[in-house]
Amino acid sequence: MGSRQIWLIIVSVWFVGCTVSSSAGEDKGTVVVYGRAAVGIVDEDFICATLDWWPPEKCDYGTCAWDHASILNLDLNNIIFQNAIKAFAPLKIRIGGTLQDLVIYETPDLKQPCVPFTKNSSVIFGFTEGCLPMRRWDELNAFFRRTGAKVIFGLNALSGRSIKPNGEAIGAWDYTNAESFIRFTAQNNHTIDGWELGNELCGSGVGARVAANQYATDTIALRNIVNQVYKNVSPMPLVIGPGGFFDAAWFTEYLNKAANSIDATTRHIYDLGPGVDKHLIEKILNPSYLDQEATTFKSLRDIIKNSPTKAVAWVGESGGAYNSGRNLVSNAFVYSFWYLDQLGMASIYDTKTYCRQSLIGGNYGLLNTTNFTPNPDYYSALIWRQLMGRKALFTSFSGTKKIRSYTHCARQSKGITVLLMNLDSTTTVKVNVELNSSTFSLRHTKHRKSRKTVISQLPWVSNGEIQREEYHLTAKDGNLHSQSMLLNEYILHVNSAGDIPPLEPIFVNSTEPITVAPYSIVFVHMRSVVVPACT
């Protein structure tokens, strides 16, 4: 075989005369997976979710969707809540959001009363300064230990600054209270995996903005504090920033100046627009619209490559639709098309961690704000966690543009997992999977009466068939607004004891194409398809 020739070998074993006919409501296509090397590598704990500070009085468009989902008032004894976090073993949790820059910490040297946030429409962000009591901080850390969560904490980067009417923040970060809080946290043996500086203060900012040069100086100050406080601790917590929206020039200046004082650079994504937008579903189901965010993933990746920093890229907060999302859209089945597409896209651009806004709270929580039961995106995230390993493989799809496809090395085997999403309302797509011939680590070779050798790596079972595992996700009653998700036609729900249901596959003969029904999501786990990238 010539080195410049590209040969494709079909994973599914096709017999002579076997064809798939196209008819009304049915189409076919091919996924091609390139497995010589990973195109991106994510963190082991890639799946992350946020907890926010918003009190019950936080309202958007006349709807108050936060209830008791704040860091300050969450029910930490709820068994469903605990089990939902434990299921990820571990879930990375980022504590932060708009109000984090107005939080003070009730450390022993605090010289003012510790009072909660109060609504005030005349001040920045619509709320007065609020306080985190250390008793509550102790309770939260006990909860994180019980559930195995890994915690990223966002610090108050507006402390000590004055803000001009145009939003420009003047002065350096006053880290006195934050340093005291970090020391209190370390002295009380509370494990923090990362300290993040600020929320949405980069670029043009949201409500306020800090210049890149000053932000880098403040980040270096945080690095010095962390180095000193944790000098005898291993691993040392990460230093993370800036936690805001991407601006190429700003990020370039910031990373060049911050250099090796920062471990992860975080950006936020609300690419679907405001939660009040009536066209959210149209955007989610539009492949061209979904593709737009790839430009920003690529831009940040390239800036990091060309800067002296050792930082990696994270998505530190992503709710899709800002201002708390939209009820029966961002907490419903349809949102999994957007969310899983984001996870797939982030992975191929080497984004190490992806934090969903939110774990609970607003209309975009993975969990129901009132009763803590999982929304559809929770199960999508959990299946991703169960099946998709750290290495993302370059994947292309030929056929309808309504199919979204991503592939990772499998998490619990040497095989691969293919994710397919059908954004079409009426057409079932029959999909074959092909691999570049140079990617195989040969296991089974079957010679047939033809000039070609058919190579299969799928496991032979006792009845002589070859099988793969499939997980088909659909909306209850086919309703995209449904907050109930079906896995292989069985509804997913917690039981009376608050247990998260097991996520079990169906086994399918691998001589058959993958059937992707209209408005469905399919994870296909092929345990014994071994490619060089996954060995």
Side-chain angles (χ1 to χ4, degrees):
M1 181 184 296
S3 60
R4 296 188 180 181
Q5 288 182 295
I6 299 176
W7 289 80
L8 298 176
I9 296 178
I10 300 176
V11 174
S12 299
V13 182
W14 290 91
F15 294 94
V16 177
C18 183
T19 61
V20 177
S21 61
S22 295
S23 60
E26 186 171 295
D27 201 350
K28 58 184 178 181
T30 302
V31 170
V32 180
V33 179
Y34 298 83
R36 180 180 289 279
V39 67
I41 300 177
V42 303
D43 285 342
E44 178 69 21
D45 46 13
F46 171 69
I47 297 288
C48 167
T50 65
L51 290 175
D52 213 311
W53 295 96
W54 289 121
E57 295 78 19
K58 159 68 171 172
C59 305
D60 300 281
Y61 320 117
T63 300
C64 308
W66 285 86
D67 199 8
H68 284 66
S70 165
I71 282 293
L72 298 174
N73 58 31
L74 260 171
D75 178 7
L76 304 180
N77 294 316
N78 185 282
I79 192 66
I80 299 175
F81 190 33
Q82 294 182 28
N83 288 341
I85 296 174
K86 287 178 181 178
F88 282 85
L91 179 65
K92 189 180 285 179
I93 295 177
R94 179 249 186 182
I95 297 174
T98 300
L99 297 186
Q100 81 177 53
D101 289 313
L102 301 181
V103 177
I104 58 174
Y105 317 110
E106 191 198 28
T107 53
D109 54 354
L110 184 67
K111 300 294 194 290
Q112 65 187 84
C114 187
V115 296
F117 292 107
T118 303
K119 191 169 185 177
N120 184 337
S121 58
S122 64
V123 298
I124 189 171
F125 308 135
F127 285 86
T128 62
E129 185 179 79
C131 179
L132 172 61
M134 290 303 93
R135 179 179 177 182
R136 178 62 173 179
W137 184 230
D138 289 339
E139 292 172 353
L140 284 161
N141 279 278
F143 173 79
F144 296 141
R145 280 193 297 273
R146 285 198 308 274
T147 57
K150 298 181 70 172
V151 179
I152 308 299
F153 191 94
L155 295 164
N156 54 2
L158 283 182
S159 178
R161 307 188 207 267
S162 59
I163 302 173
K164 290 184 175 181
N166 67 359
E168 182 183 357
I170 304 300
W173 176 45
D174 180 354
Y175 51 75
T176 307
N177 184 224
E179 180 178 7
S180 180
F181 175 58
I182 292 171
R183 290 188 183 280
F184 175 92
T185 300
Q187 289 166 1
N188 285 273
N189 297 316
H190 299 328
T191 300
I192 299 296
D193 281 84
W195 295 100
E196 184 180 29
L197 182 61
N199 183 83
E200 296 177 358
L201 302 174
C202 57
S204 57
V206 177
R209 66 182 185 275
V210 177
N213 185 65
Q214 180 61 58
Y215 214 121
T217 299
D218 300 329
T219 301
I220 293 168
L222 175 57
R223 164 59 68 191
N224 291 335
I225 293 168
V226 170
N227 285 351
Q228 186 176 21
V229 172
Y230 293 95
K231 60 186 174 183
N232 296 319
V233 175
S234 182
M236 184 175 288
L238 303 174
V239 171
I240 303 169
F245 293 102
F246 181 73
D247 177 295
W250 194 100
F251 269 71
T252 299
E253 182 181 355
Y254 173 69
L255 290 174
N256 283 335
K257 174 91 184 273
N260 287 334
S261 61
I262 185 170
D263 297 298
T265 184
T266 48
R267 72 178 184 95
H268 294 182
I269 299 176
Y270 286 91
D271 59 323
L272 296 175
V276 73
D277 187 343
K278 295 180 180 179
H279 301 288
L280 289 180
I281 289 183
E282 294 172 35
K283 293 177 179 179
I284 292 166
L285 298 177
N286 182 345
S288 297
Y289 193 92
L290 295 177
D291 285 339
Q292 292 176 14
E293 192 62 31
T295 302
T296 310
F297 278 112
K298 181 180 184 299
S299 295
L300 180 54
R301 182 195 65 184
D302 293 347
I303 287 171
I304 289 172
K305 283 184 177 179
N306 294 320
S307 77
T309 186
K310 65 178 181 181
V312 296
W314 283 22
V315 172
E317 179 183 318
S318 182
Y322 59 82
N323 289 343
S324 303
R326 184 180 182 87
N327 189 36
L328 300 182
V329 177
S330 53
N331 53 13
F333 177 83
V334 70
Y335 226 53
S336 281
F337 292 119
W338 169 81
Y339 180 38
L340 288 171
D341 195 69
Q342 281 281 300
L343 295 181
M345 189 179 294
S347 300
I348 63 176
Y349 285 103
D350 212 31
T351 305
K352 304 301 184 183
T353 286
Y354 192 105
C355 299
R356 167 63 178 263
Q357 172 83 346
S358 63
L359 176 55
I360 188 168
N363 286 318
Y364 38 36
L366 297 180
L367 304 176
N368 182 286
T369 305
T370 304
N371 59 25
F372 295 87
T373 58
N375 286 321
D377 281 2
Y378 173 86
Y379 292 115
S380 293
L382 189 58
I383 293 178
W384 177 289
R385 165 68 183 170
Q386 182 172 305
L387 299 177
M388 304 291 265
R390 294 187 60 197
K391 295 179 179 180
L393 306 179
F394 182 79
T395 305
S396 64
F397 183 82
S398 61
T400 170
K401 295 186 183 303
K402 288 286 191 174
I403 290 286
R404 309 291 285 183
S405 59
Y406 297 96
T407 306
H408 279 231
C409 296
R411 177 173 293 277
Q412 297 174 342
S413 75
K414 292 181 180 179
I416 62 171
T417 301
V418 179
L419 166 61
L420 299 166
M421 294 179 282
N422 188 353
L423 306 182
D424 193 279
S425 62
T426 58
T427 303
T428 294
V429 184
K430 302 285 189 174
V431 178
N432 298 319
V433 179
E434 297 183 353
L435 302 180
N436 184 290
S437 63
S438 62
T439 67
F440 277 94
S441 174
L442 304 183
R443 283 200 179 179
H444 304 296
T445 303
K446 294 290 178 180
H447 296 281
R448 301 199 183 276
K449 294 179 180 179
S450 91
R451 287 180 288 178
K452 291 184 178 179
T453 299
V454 180
I455 301 171
S456 167
Q457 296 189 325
L458 303 182
W460 293 94
V461 293
S462 58
N463 61 4
E465 292 184 343
I466 307 170
Q467 291 194 327
R468 61 178 181 252
E469 300 165 26
E470 294 185 357
Y471 301 74
H472 293 254
L473 302 175
T474 52
K476 184 182 179 183
D477 300 323
N479 179 9
L480 292 180
H481 296 279
S482 176
Q483 292 179 289
S484 295
M485 176 180 270
L486 275 59
L487 170 60
N488 299 325
E489 301 185 357
Y490 290 94
I491 194 164
L492 291 168
H493 60 82
V494 297
N495 64 17
S496 58
D499 297 320
I500 302 299
L503 305 176
E504 303 289 351
I506 57 173
F507 293 89
V508 178
N509 187 324
S510 288
T511 63
E512 300 296 326
I514 301 162
T515 299
V516 190
Y519 285 160
S520 75
I521 297 163
V522 186
F523 287 88
V524 184
H525 185 194
M526 308 164 111
R527 287 182 177 270
S528 297
V529 177
V530 180
V531 297
C534 302
T535 55

